[in-house]
Amino acid sequence: MSDDHFSAPDAPASSVHAASPAPAPFGACEPPYYAVVFTSVRTDDHDGYEETDDLMDELVKEVPGYLGMDHARTPGGLSLTVGYFRDLAAIEAWRSDPRHRAAQKRGREHWYERYTVHVAKVERSYGFEAEDTVGT
């Protein structure tokens, strides 16, 4: 697979699909850190994708410096995943993992019509959460 498979060891992974309720986004954390933005359009070939996706979600948790992820997919098929890493060494460790490399190769051969990866340094991070007003 490509760098679109992330999940947080300390925080719940965010995953948004058309029929799913909206989960919480990955929380703000102390900068600087890095965001790997993976946008993709998949092919109609789904054979083995879910199993590989689940495996990548587990493997990335083992990378020191991995912080978490957000994921969304549009009804039209555009997928956006943002993985958060403490430093460039963590990104390189994930990018070069042999099991991840094998999944990337299979992704290019079968699962992805196209994709783009952007790596960005996060210099400011903050969040907002409305107070729960249920029952008041």
Side-chain angles (χ1 to χ4, degrees), residues 39-99:
T39 56
S40 65
V41 175
R42 293 205 359 227
T43 66
D44 291 332
D45 181 356
H46 303 289
D47 185 39
Y49 181 86
E50 294 302 323
E51 296 83 2
T52 302
D53 184 50
D54 291 344
L55 177 61
M56 295 300 105
D57 283 348
E58 291 305 312
L59 291 177
V60 73
K61 292 176 187 178
E62 299 172 7
V63 174
Y66 170 72
L67 301 173
M69 73 88 138
D70 288 311
H71 177 79
R73 183 172 306 162
T74 68
L78 179 67
S79 180
L80 174 72
T81 300
V82 183
Y84 304 98
F85 294 84
R86 180 54 54 202
D87 52 34
L88 292 172
I91 294 170
E92 178 58 25
W94 176 235
R95 191 189 72 77
S96 63
D97 181 283
R99 298 160 296 185

Side-chain angles (χ1 to χ4, degrees), residues 72-131:
R73 183 172 306 162
T74 68
L78 179 67
S79 180
L80 174 72
T81 300
V82 183
Y84 304 98
F85 294 84
R86 180 54 54 202
D87 52 34
L88 292 172
I91 294 170
E92 178 58 25
W94 176 235
R95 191 189 72 77
S96 63
D97 181 283
R99 298 160 296 185
H100 184 213
R101 301 288 291 187
Q104 289 175 326
K105 183 178 186 295
R106 187 157 184 214
R108 286 189 298 273
E109 292 171 351
H110 300 283
W111 299 317
Y112 295 111
E113 186 176 305
R114 69 178 63 95
Y115 67 80
T116 305
V117 177
H118 305 275
V119 178
K121 185 175 184 180
V122 177
E123 296 185 0
R124 189 166 76 152
S125 181
Y126 58 93
F128 168 80
E129 188 172 332
E131 292 183 32

